[in-house]
Amino acid sequence: MFTSRKRRVAVGLSVLAVAAVAVVASVGVGGAAARTAKPATAAAGLPRDTTLYTTGTQWGTYSDLNPFKTWDYVTGLVGLVYEPMFNYNPLKDKYTPWLATKGSWIQKNVYRATIRTGVTWSDGKPLTPADVKFTFETGKIATATFHQLWTSGLKSITTKGNDVTFTFSTTPNYQEFNGYLYNIAIVPQHVWKRYTPDQITSGNLASTKQMVGTGPYTYGSGLNSKQSFTWKKRSGWWATGVYGLNPKPQYIVDIFNGSNNASLANLLAGNIDLSNNFVPGINTKVGSKITTYYPSAPYMLSGNTAWLVPNLTRAPLSDVQFRHALAASIDVNKIVEADYGHIVSPANPTGLLPVWKKYIDNSMVQKYGFTFDVSKAKSILAAAGYKDTNGDGYVENKDGSTLNLSLIVPNGWSDWMTAIQIIADSAKAAGIKITPTYPDYNTLVDDRGHGNYDLVINNDQQIGNTPWTYYNYMFRLPLSDNQTTVNYERYNNPAAWALTQQLDKVNTVPAMQKITSQLQSIFLQDLPLIPLWYNGVWAQANTGHWKSWPTVSSSKLQTLPAMWRGYLQMGGINMISNLQPGK
Amino acid sequence: MTTAPVGRVRHELIYVARHNTKLMIGAGFVLAMLVLALVGPFLTSQAPLAFGGDLQQAPSSAHWFGTTTNGQDVFSQFVYGLRASFIVGTLGGGLAALIGMLVGFVAGYRGGIIDEILTMLTNVVLVIPTLAVLITIAAYVTTRGFVTEAIFIGATSWPWAARAVRAQTFSLVSREFVDVARLSGRRSWKIIATEIAPNMSSYLLMMFILLFGGAILIGATLDFIGLGPSNAISLGLMMNNAVLWSALLLGTWWWFIPPGLGIVAIVGGLYVMNVGLDEVFNPRLREM
Amino acid sequence: MRTYVARKLLTYALTFFVAVTIDWAIPRFMPGDPVQGLISRMQAQPGSAHALTGYYTKAFGLDVPAWKQYLNFWAALVHGDLGVSVWQYPRPVTDLIVEAAPYTLALLIPAILLSFFAGNKVGAMAARRKVLDNTVLPLGYVLTATPYMWLALVLAYVFGSVTRVLPISGAYSYSLQPGWTLDFALSFMRYWILPFASLFLVGFGGWAIGMRNMIIYELEADYAHYLEALGAPRRLIRRYAYRNALLPQITGLALALGAVLAGALVTEVVFNYPGVGSLVLTAIQNRDYFLLQGIFLCIIVGVLIANFIVDIAYVLIDPRTRIGMQGHQ
């Protein structure tokens, strides 16, 4: 009787065990091996000395090989595989001919570009102007990201010989068009003509064989991986002959790190060469082994402006005097120091990035610009009629009701959460009550879009070729029910928007400066947004295995140091080409 | 029922309790943390979320537990966090105990179809991944406080308590004194409250202690993945912030070690207390 | 026996139906429109936003009324189609889950089974040896009271940051890709050991303490004293006690699943392990209804299956339950 009981125990527990093993085995086999595409490189480790490890761009599985999905494609797809007609360096405001050898407006509304000869696609076929025409014509699809190009005046694209000609029916939006020149990656017509419109605008096109580009790298391994993706260098890149660019890394492995924490660990250990994550505390690690663009504060290049966005449809934020008082009460330097350890810098009162210095009218800034001054904030409030009637230290609304503004940032964005606590603290000194709140990201997007908020921090607009993108962000009209991408503050100033549209339609620096000066006059006096600080183009590199990273100290190495989407053609590819082996 | 034997039983219980090492040690830890939670905030001058001047300092005489990367005082956060944990534990554990007892008593006493329905309900809530539900619900509520968190926890952790109460009730229901009470025409609720529950009182106490500890752990887990209250501090939130600010790598161990130790002290103390109580109430287990 | 199994299956089927309905409903209670979140991330130009919203709303089947979405959900479920992910459009949810599941299972199953076996064995040993008891007891209590994420943090700190002997992020070395090679297997083990250890240790403590207490309880039961009075050898008594103590532990195993799942989630977060836990968090952050639904569904099914297996195992081990269930009170 004992033995049969023992047997039953054994049977029972082995039922458990067998079931468990069966589940693991079947799922494991199905999952790990079968789902990742067959690697073109050996499964054995890659040679460390000729492999570049990067991280900080990818936030999902490496499944998207569609260069038109500019928010989602695999890190490096545009820049390493697909290339645009021009590259643009914001630090020097210079366009470098890339797949095009030159381009200019031969008439007010006709643009002609000459496409480089001798460039071959990775499948051996030659690059032709027909490819450029095809690429830009995908914009005709209603859900294309640059569909706007075709609804704002582009009439037709024609090719003749080596030239591509863009003909507009009205004055073109020059500023936007210049952006397309370096942002739209050229795709091969002979491969892409088989795709349906849906596939082109929202498909992943996850076929490595059909990933045909002109760039220096090709597929290595890692499609659909959740951990890493490997690019392998190919021969025959046109830029080697033309510009002498020959990247030394044979392999570029981009790594998906779920947390900034993990990224830092691997960076310090030398497992990662370049991290484009935001790493709080990195300023304490900069030294012989870890390098950033600037060797000391602010360490990072400024990549976008963080704005305090008020909801102008709500009192008292609709009162311009209140906004000025609010702006004067914020201690941005404290945020820069305590929150960021000086890896960011305070923003110019116009909010424009340092690379657009020449468009900033300093006389306007002198005349109307705000500064941090608590006593001034108090006096503005008093003069505008905001008094503290109940002695609680905070002013009340003009009609006597409690004044309590909620300031929202996404939950989990720790640096912003700390920043708005500092803002609330410093506003308190001036008598303004601000309550920091941390809803979830999607709730925040919803509320922000529908105007259900008081104050929010936002930094959507990135560094680029023109400050027009910033003014579009500030002033665009008409307003709608759901402000999804610009003008969150719901600023309704037709004059400002008209000027912004004018700005889009000029193409020389003096003409632009004339308009930006007027725009800044409006902005600084009306203060629909309050610029706070410049977020960095986060980049920290370990010099153990690769050196000659971007740095301010050498003119040749003054390039943008990021692998972020849209940044490779703004200098990232030069960064990679300049790298030298560490030993 | 005479009073003298009851009095003597109570005396005996207290005597045994005082001499039970497990109960004493466990209770000691929990009480120590409770005292710290109550008194601690008066010992610190810096509010837990205030930004002081010293950034990322190791423990010193000025800051007993050091400071965070942004200059907040870790000791201050610790003692306020203890308060939060106790609140969540009491409210969450209490709510779970209440629901569990309600469901368990009714299912066990009534039996039949009511029992089937309640058991089905219990199983459904048991099977649904509670953390997943908590995450989803917590993401739904825009303003989160400790009370709401405790309510969520209470509303999802009662199933095992209900099962346990039901099982115990079953075994008691068949005893004679219950039949006697029924015959005397007492109403069901009164019977449950006056006859059945008191006979399980020790069991219910231990169950509450386990729920209390469990609620603290779940609360800390929710806080750790970023779903805790927004503008407050708790032990779980301390650990969450420590990870977000790369404490592991920058070496700011004083930021995440104390909160974990605090939880271990409270919850471990509770578990030890529980076993000790079991020995006190169950003479058979006493190691004399 | 047959009626028992049939009854159990019916119960499980009903539970499955209710749970799946709740599973479908819950993500939809979350505020925030997933399509808007997706479009906001696309940084689309204002002109295209309208067309894109319409396109994606239709693509996700969100343009039909709720009750219709519910029916569509069941229809798709029957075909094994869990829908398309919002966050990783246009990848199917099943793909994402299948990719992540092996990693979580590789952590969970060994951790659950090994901690159960080892914990019970050590707990039983501790119940009879005072010396062992004095170390196992406090250690067990500390371990079982330790929050999973804190143990994970401490292990990561000690072995990853301070001594740097083990990696603390990822599932395998960055220079490798998954495949049936020795290199990959070794790398996988290196990255697996710490997250596994943190799940194992907490579970171990719990089972050890539980078993130890149960054994002591059993040893104090009437039958144990009776056997002792009869002169039965201690080993025999202990063997009976062990068997009887094992039964509630097995029930406890089914109940503990929920806690271990939660533990696996936070462990994956700390170690950046690409399993289902990390997937859940990302799905929530991106309001990916369909991914969340799909994952919860898999978890529910998994837990139901596990409970069912435990029920069967319990019946096989304890004949009393079989007798009990055939006659009803």
Side-chain angles (χ1 to χ4, degrees):
Chain A
M1 198 176 145
F2 305 150
T3 43
S4 66
R5 183 87 79 87
K6 202 172 180 175
R7 200 173 295 141
R8 253 183 262 123
V9 173
V11 167
L13 292 177
S14 37
V15 166
L16 273 170
V18 167
V21 169
V23 169
V24 174
S26 57
V27 180
V29 167
R35 291 283 162 174
T36 43
K38 220 162 181 283
T41 52
L46 298 167
R48 185 64 181 92
D49 290 338
T50 52
T51 308
L52 177 69
Y53 289 95
T54 64
T55 187
T57 309
Q58 194 79 10
W59 291 102
T61 54
Y62 291 91
S63 317
D64 192 338
L65 296 183
N66 186 342
F68 289 122
K69 290 173 78 180
T70 49
W71 64 96
D72 194 44
Y73 59 70
V74 165
T75 308
L77 184 71
V78 173
L80 299 179
V81 176
Y82 294 102
E83 302 177 295
M85 287 203 289
F86 290 86
N87 272 8
Y88 175 73
N89 185 349
L91 299 177
K92 309 214 163 120
D93 193 18
K94 200 170 126 205
Y95 292 86
T96 306
W98 211 249
L99 289 187
T101 52
K102 60 181 197 287
S104 59
W105 294 92
I106 54 174
Q107 289 173 43
K108 206 177 75 153
N109 49 340
V110 178
Y111 183 85
R112 176 164 295 161
T114 309
I115 303 305
R116 195 180 295 279
T117 49
V119 180
T120 44
W121 294 99
S122 53
D123 63 356
K125 300 217 168 53
L127 169 74
T128 68
D131 294 317
V132 176
K133 177 166 143 84
F134 174 84
T135 304
F136 276 87
E137 283 185 340
T138 62
K140 287 185 180 170
I141 307 172
T143 47
T145 45
F146 59 100
H147 180 62
Q148 205 160 285
L149 174 62
W150 288 94
T151 56
S152 58
L154 180 58
K155 205 171 62 177
S156 69
I157 306 180
T158 53
T159 59
K160 188 166 152 201
N162 287 332
D163 291 342
V164 186
T165 310
F166 298 79
T167 312
F168 290 79
S169 55
T170 74
T171 314
N173 290 332
Y174 295 112
Q175 302 295 321
E176 288 181 74
F177 189 77
N178 291 340
Y180 294 135
L181 288 177
Y182 72 90
N183 272 321
I184 297 187
I186 308 299
V187 298
Q189 183 186 29
H190 61 274
V191 175
W192 282 62
K193 64 180 184 221
R194 297 181 222 123
Y195 291 138
T196 66
D198 264 0
Q199 284 177 303
I200 293 178
T201 56
S202 57
N204 274 347
L205 309 181
S207 157
T208 57
K209 280 202 187 61
Q210 294 191 302
M211 185 177 65
V212 171
T214 55
Y217 286 84
T218 182
Y219 178 68
S221 62
L223 183 62
N224 289 331
S225 160
K226 200 165 172 221
Q227 191 162 295
S228 62
F229 190 92
T230 307
W231 296 108
K232 190 167 105 159
K233 184 145 173 253
R234 71 175 188 106
S235 55
W237 190 34
W238 60 269
T240 313
V242 175
Y243 290 121
L245 295 173
N246 194 5
K248 302 269 182 330
Q250 289 300 312
Y251 300 98
I252 300 182
V253 179
D254 188 70
I255 295 159
F256 162 64
N257 261 318
S259 68
N260 294 328
N261 198 33
S263 171
L264 178 58
N266 284 299
L267 180 71
L268 293 176
N271 297 328
I272 289 182
D273 299 307
L274 173 68
S275 152
N276 290 125
N277 297 87
F278 165 62
V279 178
I282 192 65
N283 49 306
T284 60
K285 299 286 183 186
V286 172
S288 56
K289 264 182 67 185
I290 304 289
T291 172
T292 51
Y293 188 81
Y294 294 108
S296 59
Y299 299 99
M300 311 286 172
L301 283 163
S302 299
N304 56 72
T305 307
W307 309 86
L308 179 62
V309 180
N311 185 347
L312 299 178
T313 62
R314 292 191 177 179
L317 298 165
S318 44
D319 179 0
V320 61
Q321 289 305 316
F322 184 81
R323 295 200 291 276
H324 276 279
L326 182 59
S329 72
I330 300 175
D331 188 357
V332 178
N333 283 317
K334 182 122 192 255
I335 298 179
V336 168
E337 184 200 329
D339 189 10
Y340 286 99
H342 289 285
I343 60 176
V344 301
S345 4
N348 181 286
T350 61
L352 294 188
L353 291 171
V355 292
W356 297 321
K357 213 167 36 219
K358 59 177 177 276
Y359 302 111
I360 298 180
D361 187 341
N362 286 313
S363 65
M364 290 295 174
V365 176
Q366 295 260 4
K367 235 159 90 178
Y368 304 118
F370 66 90
T371 50
F372 172 55
D373 189 338
V374 177
S375 46
K376 184 147 183 247
K378 284 191 184 158
S379 58
I380 298 179
L381 282 173
Y386 295 94
K387 300 191 210 326
D388 179 9
T389 48
N390 60 1
D392 63 350
Y394 297 111
V395 299
E396 274 73 49
N397 277 314
K398 283 190 189 162
D399 62 359
S401 58
T402 329
L403 197 157
N404 187 351
L405 300 167
S406 85
L407 170 50
I408 57 177
V409 292
N411 197 353
W413 294 30
S414 48
D415 50 320
W416 282 16
M417 289 164 72
T418 307
I420 66 176
Q421 285 163 13
I422 297 179
I423 292 177
D425 272 351
S426 63
K428 186 173 169 185
I432 301 177
K433 181 156 191 192
I434 294 183
T435 307
T437 322
Y438 318 106
D440 294 285
Y441 179 70
N442 280 60
T443 317
L444 184 145
V445 167
D446 219 29
D447 287 343
R448 182 185 68 199
H450 290 106
N452 288 331
Y453 71 96
D454 289 331
L455 294 163
V456 65
I457 305 267
N458 184 263
N459 72 333
D460 278 355
Q461 299 302 318
Q462 305 285 319
I463 194 172
N465 63 315
T466 171
W468 175 85
T469 50
Y470 269 45
Y471 288 114
N472 180 46
Y473 170 75
M474 293 179 217
F475 298 136
R476 190 182 187 94
L477 295 174
L479 299 171
S480 70
D481 229 12
N482 192 357
Q483 293 291 103
T484 46
T485 46
V486 294
N487 203 344
Y488 298 126
E489 77 277 16
R490 296 164 177 270
Y491 182 56
N492 197 342
N493 186 334
W497 175 233
L499 275 173
T500 308
Q501 289 174 299
Q502 270 182 48
L503 179 62
D504 204 0
K505 295 198 186 282
V506 299
N507 207 5
T508 63
V509 173
M512 289 170 69
Q513 285 172 329
K514 214 165 132 223
I515 303 181
T516 54
S517 170
Q518 296 174 59
L519 282 168
Q520 280 155 32
S521 166
I522 298 179
F523 175 80
L524 290 169
Q525 293 182 73
D526 237 12
L527 218 51
L529 296 169
I530 300 174
L532 297 173
W533 69 86
Y534 299 129
N535 274 312
V537 180
W538 311 122
Q540 41 274 335
N542 186 317
T543 52
H545 293 273
W546 295 98
K547 54 182 204 276
S548 295
W549 294 98
T551 171
V552 68
S553 351
S554 152
S555 174
K556 182 171 176 233
L557 298 176
Q558 283 176 0
T559 62
L560 282 187
M563 299 280 291
W564 293 344
R565 299 183 183 92
Y567 279 67
L568 276 171
Q569 58 264 48
M570 284 203 286
I573 192 68
N574 298 79
M575 163 182 74
I576 296 177
S577 305
N578 288 332
L579 287 177
Q580 302 294 326
K583 302 288 177 276
Chain B
M1 289 283 176
T2 58
T3 52
V6 173
R8 214 166 338 127
V9 167
R10 205 172 287 145
H11 271 293
E12 194 199 329
L13 271 178
I14 293 178
Y15 175 81
V16 173
R18 286 233 308 270
H19 288 257
N20 185 302
T21 33
K22 294 192 187 69
L23 182 56
M24 287 296 108
I25 293 181
F29 272 114
V30 178
L31 275 170
M33 290 290 117
L34 185 60
V35 164
L36 200 54
L38 292 170
V39 168
F42 297 111
L43 298 175
T44 62
S45 48
Q46 189 174 339
L49 297 176
F51 301 103
D54 313 315
L55 306 176
Q56 221 169 299
Q57 302 282 322
S60 63
S61 50
H63 298 277
W64 295 347
F65 282 10
T67 59
T68 70
T69 311
N70 308 122
Q72 297 162 317
D73 184 44
V74 177
F75 179 73
S76 176
Q77 293 194 333
F78 180 70
V79 292
Y80 278 93
L82 278 177
R83 274 196 182 180
S85 294
F86 273 109
I87 293 176
V88 170
T90 318
L91 287 177
L95 184 62
L98 262 165
I99 302 180
M101 286 197 287
L102 196 68
V103 173
F105 279 138
V106 171
Y109 187 77
R110 280 303 177 80
I113 191 75
I114 294 185
D115 177 30
E116 296 276 347
I117 296 176
L118 285 176
T119 309
M120 174 77 55
L121 174 68
T122 310
N123 281 335
V124 171
V125 179
L126 196 60
V127 153
I128 291 180
T130 47
L131 192 68
V133 171
L134 281 172
I135 289 174
T136 318
I137 296 180
Y140 170 53
V141 178
T142 44
T143 49
R144 295 193 284 263
F146 286 116
V147 175
T148 18
E149 190 180 54
I151 293 178
F152 298 152
I153 296 175
T156 48
S157 25
W158 57 265
W160 77 260
R163 264 201 191 180
V165 169
R166 172 180 171 274
Q168 284 289 97
T169 311
F170 262 150
S171 68
L172 282 176
V173 150
S174 54
R175 299 262 277 274
E176 306 89 27
F177 62 90
V178 174
D179 288 332
V180 167
R182 271 211 202 108
L183 280 175
S184 71
R186 288 261 207 82
R187 304 188 60 200
S188 314
W189 282 113
K190 276 230 137 169
I191 299 179
I192 294 178
T194 54
E195 302 288 345
I196 298 188
N199 271 290
M200 293 170 56
S201 56
S202 55
Y203 191 80
L204 292 175
L205 175 63
M206 297 196 299
M207 193 185 72
F208 172 70
I209 291 180
L210 285 179
L211 285 172
F212 182 75
I216 292 184
L217 280 177
I218 300 178
T221 307
L222 272 182
D223 292 345
F224 178 72
I225 48 182
L227 292 166
S230 346
N231 209 6
I233 196 69
S234 78
L235 299 178
L237 278 171
M238 283 176 75
M239 289 193 269
N240 183 25
N241 288 330
V243 171
L244 283 174
W245 290 93
S246 306
L248 278 181
L249 301 153
L250 299 177
T252 45
W253 56 267
W254 52 88
W255 199 352
F256 63 88
I257 299 275
L261 280 177
I263 295 182
V264 173
I266 300 178
V267 179
L270 286 171
Y271 288 165
V272 173
M273 257 178 77
N274 220 15
V275 175
L277 275 175
D278 204 10
E279 288 178 2
V280 167
F281 291 131
N282 261 317
R284 288 187 185 160
L285 296 176
R286 292 180 205 160
E287 305 169 53
M288 284 302 186
Chain C
M1 179 65 176
R2 226 178 296 141
T3 44
Y4 174 73
V5 174
R7 244 184 106 105
K8 276 285 172 183
L9 278 176
L10 180 64
T11 321
Y12 280 119
L14 271 168
T15 314
F16 176 72
F17 182 77
V18 175
V20 166
T21 304
I22 297 181
D23 167 55
W24 172 87
I26 284 180
R28 282 138 212 281
F29 289 150
M30 294 197 301
D33 182 3
V35 175
Q36 287 309 320
L38 174 63
I39 293 186
S40 146
R41 250 184 312 123
M42 285 167 59
Q43 301 249 296
Q45 295 174 334
S48 328
H50 189 71
L52 287 165
T53 310
Y55 174 77
Y56 281 109
T57 310
K58 191 141 182 271
F60 291 123
L62 292 174
D63 52 338
V64 294
W67 63 266
K68 218 163 176 211
Q69 288 181 34
Y70 179 61
L71 290 176
N72 290 340
F73 177 66
W74 274 107
L77 199 58
V78 167
H79 289 110
D81 173 16
L82 290 175
V84 175
S85 161
V86 172
W87 159 58
Q88 289 263 280
Y89 187 83
R91 300 203 69 208
V93 167
T94 358
D95 280 6
L96 292 171
I97 297 180
V98 167
E99 280 163 12
Y103 295 104
T104 304
L105 288 173
L107 283 183
L108 272 182
I109 299 199
I112 294 177
L113 290 179
L114 281 176
S115 67
F116 186 76
F117 283 128
N120 280 323
K121 263 284 171 233
V122 172
M125 290 198 304
R128 65 172 185 258
R129 256 174 251 177
K130 199 70 180 163
V131 173
L132 195 60
D133 194 29
N134 284 337
T135 42
V136 167
L137 192 58
L139 181 68
Y141 278 122
V142 168
L143 281 177
T144 190
T146 306
Y148 283 101
M149 66 269 192
W150 189 70
L151 186 58
L153 282 176
V154 170
L155 286 176
Y157 183 63
V158 169
F159 291 100
S161 305
V162 176
T163 56
R164 302 246 183 111
V165 292
L166 287 171
I168 56 171
S169 160
Y172 48 89
S173 164
Y174 297 137
S175 62
L176 299 173
Q177 290 293 340
W180 298 107
T181 64
L182 185 65
D183 272 343
F184 177 71
L186 287 175
S187 177
F188 182 81
M189 292 303 293
R190 264 194 92 215
Y191 281 77
W192 170 88
I193 194 71
L194 278 183
F196 163 77
S198 72
L199 284 175
F200 170 78
L201 286 171
V202 177
F204 173 81
W207 294 121
I209 291 292
M211 191 46 142
R212 177 220 176 253
N213 291 335
M214 289 302 318
I215 294 266
I216 291 184
Y217 198 85
E218 291 292 323
L219 285 177
E220 296 305 324
D222 286 336
Y223 72 88
H225 287 304
Y226 188 55
L227 283 172
E228 199 176 347
L230 285 180
R234 295 224 66 182
R235 279 194 68 191
L236 188 75
I237 304 174
R238 272 198 297 259
R239 215 189 313 156
Y240 273 124
Y242 185 78
R243 293 253 179 76
N244 286 329
L246 201 57
L247 297 172
Q249 293 288 72
I250 292 187
T251 328
L253 187 61
L255 289 172
L257 265 177
V260 182
L261 270 172
L265 196 155
V266 290
T267 306
E268 283 177 22
V269 168
V270 172
F271 288 105
N272 199 23
Y273 213 69
V276 176
S278 316
L279 205 58
V280 167
L281 268 186
T282 327
I284 289 177
Q285 282 160 4
N286 291 284
R287 286 295 188 278
D288 194 340
Y289 287 170
F290 307 101
L291 185 55
L292 273 174
Q293 253 171 233
I295 297 177
F296 289 178
L297 190 66
C298 291
I299 295 181
I300 289 174
V301 170
V303 170
L304 277 174
I305 293 180
N307 269 302
F308 189 67
I309 293 178
V310 167
D311 276 342
I312 302 289
Y314 198 93
V315 165
L316 288 174
I317 296 175
D318 187 3
R320 290 178 301 179
T321 42
R322 261 176 288 152
I323 299 173
M325 58 187 97
Q326 266 154 17
H328 286 290
Q329 267 306 61

